[in-house]
Amino acid sequence: MQVELLDVVGAVSDREWAEEWAGQLDDLLLEVGRFFPRVGVRCRAAACVRGLLGPVSRKNGWQLAEYAGDGAPWNQQHLLDRARWDVEGMRDFTRRHVVAALADDGEGAGPGGAGVLVVDETGFAKRGTASAGVARQYSGALGVSSPARSG
């Protein structure tokens, strides 16, 4: 069974589509801002999300910090390790947001017509030899056991 996941009208340009998504991201970041009581932490969280969604080749602290305009990863590390924010509230909000997005009045592809969310973070080829997890491994999304590549 072929399922159409996203129907984008041909008259919409890539720029218009990107601007719409950017606007939706801004709205979402404003909405979740309440879980970050301090302005600095709220800004770091927004920068972290933008970096994770942005064209950063490696999603590590250094590169996310550079994408956010910081010279070092200390602010990102503070956000993830020591900053105070409402983790449980954010978890509950995220769950509600995802469930609402998957709700499709019984017309979806999943069991009982529910939408389906698949999260698979293994779908990219590993690079280099120095980091953990870059040795020869099986990746279901790639379908092969690929050797680590240098670079």
Side-chain angles (χ1 to χ4, degrees):
M1 175 168 114
Q2 184 75 17
V3 177
E4 181 107 9
L5 296 179
L6 182 60
D7 186 18
V8 179
V9 179
V12 176
S13 72
D14 288 342
R15 182 179 179 90
E16 291 170 328
W17 188 72
E19 288 173 355
E20 179 183 338
W21 277 92
Q24 291 177 11
L25 177 60
D26 288 342
D27 293 344
L28 183 64
L29 291 174
L30 283 172
E31 194 171 350
V32 299
R34 69 178 186 262
F35 300 113
F36 302 92
R38 298 186 58 166
V39 173
V41 175
R42 191 176 312 137
C43 290
R44 284 186 201 121
C48 182
V49 169
R50 290 182 190 286
L52 290 170
L53 295 174
V56 179
S57 63
R58 297 177 65 196
K59 312 295 186 188
N60 61 35
W62 277 99
Q63 299 218 344
L64 291 175
E66 288 176 0
Y67 187 76
D70 294 333
W74 318 136
N75 287 334
Q76 292 296 321
Q77 291 173 350
H78 175 76
L79 170 68
L80 299 174
D81 184 41
R82 297 176 305 280
R84 293 181 186 229
W85 51 284
D86 185 0
V87 176
E88 290 82 14
M90 178 62 102
R91 178 204 58 215
D92 296 344
F93 172 85
T94 302
R95 181 186 183 285
R96 285 191 305 274
H97 188 76
V98 169
V99 168
L102 293 175
D104 52 15
D105 298 325
E107 297 180 13
V116 177
L117 172 67
V118 177
V119 178
D120 180 7
E121 61 191 34
T122 64
F124 61 93
K126 307 294 188 223
R127 297 182 306 195
T129 58
S131 299
V134 294
R136 186 176 202 81
Q137 60 188 315
Y138 176 79
S139 173
L142 297 174
V144 295
S145 178
S146 59
R149 294 182 294 170
S150 62

